[in-house]
Structure formats: structure tokens, C-alpha cells
Amino acid sequence: MSHNDHQPMLRRDYLKWMGAAGLAATGVSAHAQSAWPSKPIRWIVPFAPGGTSSIVARTMATELTKQMGVSIIIDNKGGGGGVPAMQEMMRTPADGYTIVMSHIGLMAVNPLIYPDSGYDVNKDFVPVTLLSRVPSLFVVHKDVPVTDLKSLIAYAKARPGQLNYASAGNASAGHLAMEALKLASGMFITHIPYRGTGPALNDVLAGRIQLLSAGTPALLPHIKSGALRCLATGTTERISVLPDVPTVNEFGFKDFETVQWYGITARAGTPPEIILKLQQECAKALKMPDVIAKNAAESAIPGGGTSSEYAAFIAKEQARWKEVVIKGQIKPG
Amino acid sequence: MEAFDALMGGFAIALQPTTLLWGFVGCFIGTLVGVLPGIGPALTIALLLPLTYHVPATSMFVMFAGIYYGAAYGGSTTSILLNTPGESAAVVTALEGNKMARNGRAGQALATAAIGSFVAGTIGTLALTFFAPLVVDAALAFGPAEYFSLMVLSLVAVSAVLGNSMLRGLVALGLGLLLGMVGIDLQTGQPRFTFGRPELLDGIEVTVAAVGLFAVGEALYLAWQGRETKTGEVMKLSGSLWMSKQDWARSWKAWLRGAFFGFPIGAMPAGGAELPTLLSYYTEKKLSKHPEEFGHGAIEGVAGPEAANNAAAAGVLMPLLTLGIPTSATAAIMLSAFEGYGIQTGPQLLSQQGGLVWTLIASLYIGNVILLILNLPLVSLWVKLLKIPPPWLYAGIIVISTAGVYGAGNSVFNVGLLFVFGLLGYLMRRFDFPAAPLIVGLILAPMAEQSMRQALTISQGEWSTFFTRPLSGSLMAVAALLLIVPPLWKQWRHLQAR
């Protein structure tokens, strides 16, 4: 272990946490590996504070802190499609004291659209565990005269390029999901990117834009109120909050799956026993009532599997999105 | 009067002593983060969120309401006293506010800002109480075409902040518009002017630029001035700190007009608090009986924008409470807070969780009163800041700005950017270029470009969409009139006089 690898972290967190607790005062041990964890763990979340994902991370961090007896400090490093967060990870040692929240964009899409980021997600990082999968939904404004996916495809094919769909931005999960659907069904629908789900949702609610794909939490209340109609879910099975809505698979699109997922990733070279310990602690935390309640509120499907299961999942997602990104000519945003 | 009864129920809950105490804590913290440059309410609430899950929901919302309004108000204090806005919505306040302070009228500037914030905040909250459904429909009617027309109108209003030399002002505005182009092109995903730095992909953060140009730039300028002239600058306070009869007479209409701009634009999903401050400043300058005072410390130029800022803060809550759509970083965090308490936001929030929503609205009223009680006596304390010798004061400002910018994004890159803008700010002051147009350009450019291209995609490339849609067309017409009529009017008056 080099002598001052941990100094930047102490300074950084001191600023943020000086009012919260005297965490930063914890000593830095040179023999950290012998009894991991023996000092606070920094968890980089590649989003601005306040989003769904960092709320999930905070709830998890609270449970993990209780279980492991050391503080898990959330370090929000948003922007730049998550590339700066991963570059920051590259500057930390592979000792399990800095971990990052990995997600669909970071692991499966960025490698294709940011080839010069200076790291390889598969070689420089090692998966720890999948935390949750949030179903993505395909919705239309209530005045669009279609009732299911089949009638949408017929409607769109009769009007090539005249329908529009909104997304939270280029290469956002909703953009990818809709491009995947377009690719599978052969529809031609124009993409109109916004800055975030909120503004995109606004124009769909107003009926200026016909279609949208986003995660369950943002859309569910508007589906319940009748302002939006949910045509299909991107999951492989129907979801409990919308039992009457079929999956895209049910319309004959085999192996179609679009979910937004979040997990934990560490630096490659982290000792396997640390990865295993962290994965087991996460699996335990995911069964705690607070975390279960948070996941249920988002209708998220909890993970908790092993490192190799997560690795296999990521590999499958990378293959799936490579095709969509290349054929849909998706660029960063 | 169903809303009224429900509101009274909300007051009954929010007026409990312990709840009030949380309100005071919130207002205090809020004012503090508003005053500190670079640290905003969003970050503060995000950091406090995990701590507050142990507090009952009502107490937490009262505290958040305090932080929220407190920050909107606090940003003006440093704008006025030190020409260093703590947040981007307070940039316009600095224009006249700081001139007033330099004329020894810091007390009056702070007082009109505090009372204006109270009046506008109350009007905004009243509108939130009684007109929520109407305003939401209007806000939904605002699509990309309407936003673009609003941006065009705002660009006309920028003329009010160009300063003494139109050429210099336009240069600063053009530079701001250019800097606003940095980052990923939203429509095609093409990175522009990022020099391969991922930190620049999302564009230049307005807060960093504003704090750099104003706070750091001001400090560097004073350092240079002290060296060159050996005099430095000591601000004097003369006469009473309190507003005179004339100050009241000139302020109250500006407060009302500011609230009128602030609330609806704040309620629009992409409106924000910066545009209404600019539009209010423009209106006050045009309507004032003392237009010659603008640029030298006109009290309307503080009263209007400050009122607009706080009314916008109330407006921002509208889409959050009625549609469940967060339209600002702070609103997004409040949404998370709702979810943290297991409350599903969205169109049914009011019918399902009415009690809680009315408590929140009641606490907004209470927060406003607490702020006024807290801040009027503080005016005399704040002005004492000016008695600190400038070298110490400005060194402190640089330290706080740096810490604030770093803390907001955990980014060393942004700290570097802060000082680049600081240097630019110094050079601009040194050679008499105004900084406000640059910030306005930086805010307007990405919004205008994005809404224009979205509107054109929706209309399949028809430019007429900006003129044939009734709302958009009206805004364009107003912009055209504002551009054409004043010079013609001047010409006509000139001819009459002869």
C-alpha cells in the first residue's frame, strides 16, 4: 500500500461530512487488508445527489454500515455520463476501500460510445454484485389511438417518421429501450431528447409527444391516473404493480429485455475474499426491511447474486446493447 | 373554500412548537447556504436527508421549506454587500444592490430584498394554494416552441443589463452564448469544445461561472486596485439603515410585478428562477420614473428581481406537488424525500396525502414569516461585514467559494474552472466589461438551442411553428414590440420636443 493513497479521500470527505460525523478522523491503517474492512469505505455514485439511484445507495449504505461496523460514505460524482466517476476509481488502489455503483450506461453503453475514456470496464474492474433491476415501461399519451403494442406497430408503420418519442437524453436508458423496440419491430419513430425524465414526461403528458420509455417510479402515477397508457413492460415477466400489462416478449419478440440495473463494482485486482465478503454483506442488506421497502416503492427487483453471476449478466447486457447502439447510431448525451 | 379549510388544518399541524423549531433551524441553515457562494439548497437537503428520516414527516417538510426559501433569500445578501452572488438567480440583484451598498444604502437594499422576498413568497404560496390546477394546465401548455419564444423575449430583456457601453455588453453576452455551447449537443450527441475532458460533457456549470466571475473576479480586482492606487476600497454606511417613505413607495409595485413574473415562470418545467429576475429587472428599468438611477443603485432594481426569485421558488414546487415532476435539483431531492417516507408523488398526491401537502404549504407560509423575523434584525449584523478590512474579507470569500464549488460537485476540475473564470472576471472588470450579460448568455444559450431544435423536430422542420402556435406567437410579438417600439417612441419624443 502506498503511503498517501487515502489522503485525497480524507480531504474530500471532510468538506462534505464535517457536520455529520467525525468520520474523517478515522486513522489510516497500512495493513488494511488483513481484516477488511478496518476503515471507512468510499462508495462512488456516478450521479448527482438526490436521484433514485443515490437514494438506493444511501439506504444500502446505512444497512451496510450497521452490519460491517465501518462507515460507508457515499461520494456523489455526477455528470459526464459517469466517465469521471470511473476515472476517479482508476486513481484508487484495488483494496476494496473504494467501490463504485455500476449501471447499464457505465458498464454496457459507455465502452461503445466513449472509446477514449482511458479504462476498460471488463479488464480494469471486477463485478461484486447486482443490487437491483428497475423495469422499464413503454407508454403512449392517452389520446394516441392504440391499445397495445401490436396496434402501435401498425399505427407507426402507417405513419413513418411522424410519431415522436421523448427520452431523458442521448444514450439514456429510455432512449436505448425505445431504440431496442424500434429495432425489433421495424418501426420508424423520431427521437426527441430532453435533459432528464421530468421535462420529457411533461411534453408527453401535454400530448405534444406521443411516446416515452422510462422506469416504473416516474411513470406509474400517471398510468394510474389515466394520463398515459402503458402498452408493454420491458421485463421478461409481468410486474406485480401492473399485472394486466403484457411484456414485449408476449407479442412475439423473443428474448427482448430492457431493464435499468444497478450494482457494485470494484477495481480489478481486489482480493477475491474481499469481493466475496462484500457480496455476502450486500445480499444480507438487501433482505433488510428498509431496503425491501425502498425497492418495493420503485417496483425494483432486488439482486444480491455472486460476482460471477453479475459478470455473466453484464456480458449478456453488453452484447444486447452493442447491437442497439451500433444499429441505432447512438451517441453520448 | 375547501382549500381554505384544508389549509387551516395544515396550519394546525405546522404550528406545533417543535415543528416551529425545525422551521427556525431550516431558515437559519437555508440563509447560511444561500449566503455561502457555491453551496446550494439542493446539496444541503441531500446531505441532511439521511439524518431526517428519524424525524416525523411534517417536521422535516417544515425544515426543508425553511432551507428552501432561506437559500433563495440568502443568496441576495452577499450579492448586495459584496457583489458576489451566492447563486445564479442572485446575479441580477447584484447589479443595483451592490451599487446601493456602495452609496451607503446597504441597509435599505437588504430591507427591500427581505420584505420583497416575504411579499413575493407569500403571493407565490397563495397562488400555490388556490390556483394550482390552473397554473399547471398553463405550464403544460408550454412546449419547446413556447420556451424558445420566451428565450427570444429574454434576449431582448438582456438589453437592460448590458451596462454603459452596448458594444461591451454585447461582447460579454456573445461570449456567454458561446460558452453555453460547450458540452454535448443534446440532439445529435456530438461533444462540442470539450477538448476530450469528460467534465465538460455536461457543459459549464452556471454556478461555477457566476461565483468565479463575481466573487473571485471581484477579489482579484480589489487586490489589483489596492496595489495600483494604494487606497483600496472602504465602503461607508451613511444615515439610517431603514427604508424611507420614498423607498417604500418605489418598492411595493416592483415586489408585486416581480412576483407576477416569478411564480408562473418558476412553475414551468423548464422555467427556473433566473429568467424571471432578468425580465423583472428589464420591466422595472423601463417603467421606473428614475431610469437614470439604474446602474447607480436604483431600489426597484433590487426589489423586483428579489421578489421574482422568491416567487419562482414557490412556483417550482407546483409541478412537484401536482404532477410529481421535479423541475429543479432541489425539487428532485424533495421528491426523493417524499419517497423516503413512502409517499407516492404524482397526480393523486393531493387527494391521497392531502394532509401532508397542506402541512407543507402551511409551512411555506410560516417559513416566510420566520425568515422575515430572522432577517430584518440581521440586516444590521450583515452590514457589519463591510467593516471587516477588505483584504481579510475577500481572502475569506475566495476560501469559501473554493470550498463551496468543490463541495458541490467533488470536482477538482470545477475548482480550476472557478479560477479561470475568476481571472476572466478580473480582466472584464479591469477593462470595464459587464459580467452579468455573460452569465445570462451562459444560461440562455443551451435552453434556447435545445428548445428551438426540439420544436423543429416536433414540427417536422416547419419554422412557422414559432409564430402559428398562439402562445408562442404572442411571445414573439411582445419581443418584436419591445425591440421596435422604444426606439421609435424615443424618436417621436425627440421630434415632438423640437
Side-chain angles (χ1 to χ4, degrees):
Chain A
M1 295 287 94
S2 94
H3 43 284
N4 64 356
D5 274 333
H6 308 295
Q7 289 303 320
M9 160 189 149
L10 291 177
R11 254 177 307 178
R12 174 192 315 278
D13 289 321
Y14 185 67
L15 283 171
K16 264 179 81 172
W17 292 92
M18 54 189 176
L23 303 171
T26 314
V28 175
S29 159
H31 307 287
Q33 272 184 37
S34 55
W36 185 91
S38 60
K39 62 188 174 79
I41 296 169
R42 172 180 166 210
W43 185 356
I44 300 179
V45 174
F47 299 100
T52 310
S53 53
S54 52
I55 297 295
V56 171
R58 273 177 212 280
T59 322
M60 278 295 286
T62 312
E63 290 299 333
L64 289 173
T65 300
K66 272 190 236 162
Q67 286 174 20
M68 292 161 74
V70 297
S71 295
I72 317 283
I73 300 161
I74 301 285
D75 184 358
N76 288 99
K77 201 166 175 61
V83 175
M86 292 300 259
Q87 289 176 339
E88 176 73 19
M89 273 299 284
M90 290 298 287
R91 288 190 282 269
T92 65
D95 58 2
Y97 285 106
T98 315
I99 54 177
V100 66
M101 180 179 237
S102 45
H103 60 91
I104 175 171
L106 220 52
M107 306 307 287
V109 183
N110 283 1
L112 302 163
I113 60 179
Y114 298 111
D116 306 326
S117 56
Y119 58 80
D120 181 327
V121 286
N122 295 328
K123 286 189 189 135
D124 294 320
F125 296 93
V126 53
V128 177
T129 186
L130 182 67
L131 289 178
S132 71
R133 288 180 293 160
V134 180
S136 59
L137 307 178
F138 295 93
V139 297
V140 291
H141 181 258
K142 64 175 187 319
D143 293 343
V144 180
V146 297
T147 49
D148 59 9
L149 193 57
K150 208 170 183 175
S151 56
L152 171 73
I153 293 170
Y155 186 75
K157 284 199 170 157
R159 294 162 185 78
Q162 290 178 29
L163 296 184
N164 297 315
Y165 77 93
S167 86
N170 267 292
S172 66
H175 179 200
L176 291 164
M178 199 60 99
E179 287 299 324
L181 185 67
K182 279 167 67 180
L183 204 64
S185 62
M187 287 186 288
F188 172 28
I189 306 173
T190 313
H191 175 217
I192 302 186
Y194 286 78
R195 276 179 213 279
T197 306
L201 185 54
N202 181 69
D203 274 12
V204 179
L205 285 175
R208 268 181 296 274
I209 297 195
Q210 293 81 28
L211 292 129
L212 173 73
S213 171
T216 340
L219 296 181
L220 207 52
H222 303 284
I223 295 169
K224 293 253 163 85
S225 80
L228 301 176
R229 193 178 303 131
C230 187
L231 300 181
T233 66
T235 45
T236 48
E237 278 151 35
R238 293 193 180 197
I239 57 174
S240 59
V241 283
L242 292 169
D244 300 333
V245 177
T247 68
V248 175
N249 277 332
E250 289 177 40
F251 291 96
F253 300 103
K254 287 279 163 271
D255 208 29
F256 186 94
E257 187 183 6
T258 54
V259 290
Q260 305 173 11
W261 45 269
Y262 304 98
I264 292 182
T265 290
R267 277 295 309 280
T270 307
E273 59 274 18
I274 291 181
I275 302 284
L276 184 67
K277 174 103 197 286
L278 187 56
Q279 179 259 321
Q280 285 167 347
E281 295 285 353
C282 287
K284 206 168 130 197
L286 281 166
K287 295 201 173 67
M288 292 296 154
D290 277 7
V291 181
I292 289 177
K294 279 272 148 52
N295 275 329
E298 319 252 301
S299 55
I301 306 150
T306 63
S307 167
S308 52
E309 280 168 11
Y310 188 27
F313 178 77
I314 293 173
K316 203 174 150 200
E317 286 285 293
Q318 283 173 340
R320 180 195 309 280
W321 296 113
K322 189 171 182 176
E323 196 193 346
V324 176
V325 167
I326 290 169
K327 290 199 181 149
Q329 297 184 339
I330 289 168
K331 283 183 184 159
Chain B
M1 288 320 274
E2 203 181 315
F4 186 77
D5 292 340
L7 181 64
M8 286 304 123
F11 269 116
I13 299 169
L15 279 172
Q16 315 259 349
T18 44
T19 319
L20 272 180
L21 193 70
W22 286 105
F24 262 104
V25 172
C27 285
F28 182 74
I29 299 177
T31 311
L32 208 62
V33 293
V35 167
L36 297 177
I39 305 171
L43 181 73
T44 314
I45 298 183
L47 289 180
L48 288 174
L49 206 51
L51 303 177
T52 50
Y53 281 138
H54 308 289
V55 178
T58 44
S59 303
M60 187 196 66
F61 286 126
V62 174
M63 184 170 84
F64 284 178
I67 295 180
Y68 190 60
Y69 273 158
Y73 167 75
S76 64
T77 308
T78 43
S79 269
I80 291 169
L81 293 176
L82 308 167
N83 198 23
T84 59
E87 36 149 15
S88 50
V91 165
V92 175
T93 309
L95 294 174
E96 298 303 320
N98 188 246
K99 291 284 163 27
M100 282 183 73
R102 275 165 209 267
N103 297 340
R105 282 164 50 77
Q108 286 86 344
L110 287 172
T112 197
I115 302 168
S117 296
F118 170 73
V119 171
T122 307
I123 293 175
T125 316
L126 279 170
L128 190 63
T129 316
F130 297 107
F131 303 115
L134 281 176
V135 178
V136 161
D137 285 348
L140 272 183
F142 251 75
E146 285 76 18
Y147 279 116
F148 179 68
S149 303
L150 184 67
M151 299 300 145
V152 172
L153 182 63
S154 306
L155 274 175
V156 174
V158 176
S159 64
V161 299
L162 289 183
N164 299 328
S165 153
M166 189 187 251
L167 181 63
R168 281 157 195 256
L170 286 177
V171 167
L173 175 68
L175 187 61
L177 291 170
L178 283 177
L179 288 171
M181 296 287 123
V182 171
I184 280 182
D185 171 21
L186 188 74
Q187 302 295 308
T188 63
Q190 179 66 43
R192 298 185 297 206
F193 311 112
T194 57
F195 305 100
R197 297 293 311 207
E199 292 89 346
L200 284 175
L201 286 177
D202 298 320
I204 294 169
E205 256 180 69
V206 178
T207 325
V208 175
V211 174
L213 280 181
F214 282 90
V216 180
E218 182 83 4
L220 291 176
Y221 180 74
L222 282 181
W224 168 80
Q225 212 180 30
R227 217 183 154 78
E228 288 289 304
T229 63
K230 305 273 177 210
T231 55
E233 197 172 356
V234 181
M235 274 188 255
K236 288 179 292 287
L237 287 167
S238 55
S240 158
L241 286 178
W242 191 237
M243 289 165 67
S244 70
K245 210 169 180 182
Q246 203 209 353
D247 289 332
W248 280 95
R250 288 175 61 176
S251 289
W252 73 271
K253 279 187 202 154
W255 294 335
L256 295 185
R257 282 190 290 259
F260 176 74
F261 280 115
F263 186 76
I265 297 180
M268 288 172 198
E274 290 93 354
L275 290 186
T277 60
L278 178 70
L279 291 173
S280 161
Y281 183 79
Y282 176 83
T283 315
E284 294 313 321
K285 190 173 176 182
K286 291 288 162 194
L287 292 180
S288 172
K289 290 198 185 79
H290 313 273
E292 72 286 351
E293 279 185 31
F294 274 79
H296 307 283
I299 193 163
E300 299 97 322
V302 180
E306 262 314 294
N309 182 5
N310 271 48
V316 166
L317 294 177
M318 182 82 93
L320 177 70
L321 294 179
T322 49
L323 294 175
I325 299 180
T327 54
S328 71
T330 318
I333 289 164
M334 297 246 239
L335 184 72
S336 314
F338 277 121
E339 282 167 359
Y341 280 94
I343 300 158
Q344 187 72 55
T345 49
Q348 292 102 353
L349 180 68
L350 203 61
S351 51
Q352 285 172 3
Q353 297 280 347
L356 193 70
V357 174
W358 288 112
T359 310
L360 176 66
I361 292 177
S363 54
L364 290 173
Y365 285 102
I366 298 166
N368 253 316
V369 178
I370 295 178
L371 265 180
L372 193 70
I373 297 172
L374 200 66
N375 280 307
L376 281 182
L378 279 182
V379 166
S380 55
L381 182 75
W382 289 125
V383 296
K384 289 211 174 69
L385 269 182
L386 299 179
K387 295 203 172 128
I388 303 174
W392 296 17
L393 185 59
Y394 282 91
I397 287 175
I398 290 201
V399 170
I400 293 170
S401 307
T402 311
V405 164
Y406 182 76
N410 278 0
S411 158
V412 182
F413 185 85
N414 274 355
V415 175
L417 209 57
L418 173 77
F419 285 98
V420 170
F421 274 102
L423 202 63
L424 183 67
Y426 158 69
L427 289 172
M428 286 175 72
R429 278 222 57 183
R430 167 77 183 76
F431 296 104
D432 200 24
F433 285 87
L438 196 157
I439 298 295
V440 173
L442 188 60
I443 294 170
L444 284 182
M447 290 169 85
E449 190 207 5
Q450 178 191 329
S451 46
M452 183 185 92
R453 291 170 67 184
Q454 282 168 344
L456 285 175
T457 319
I458 294 175
S459 74
Q460 315 237 348
E462 283 295 331
W463 285 87
S464 59
T465 182
F466 298 116
F467 305 98
T468 51
R469 297 175 63 90
L471 254 175
S472 173
S474 315
L475 285 168
M476 281 291 190
V478 173
L481 284 177
L482 288 180
L483 203 61
I484 298 163
V485 171
L488 285 179
W489 176 251
K490 219 171 168 182
Q491 200 71 28
W492 188 73
R493 288 269 289 267
H494 197 66
L495 287 172
Q496 289 280 304
R498 268 203 288 181

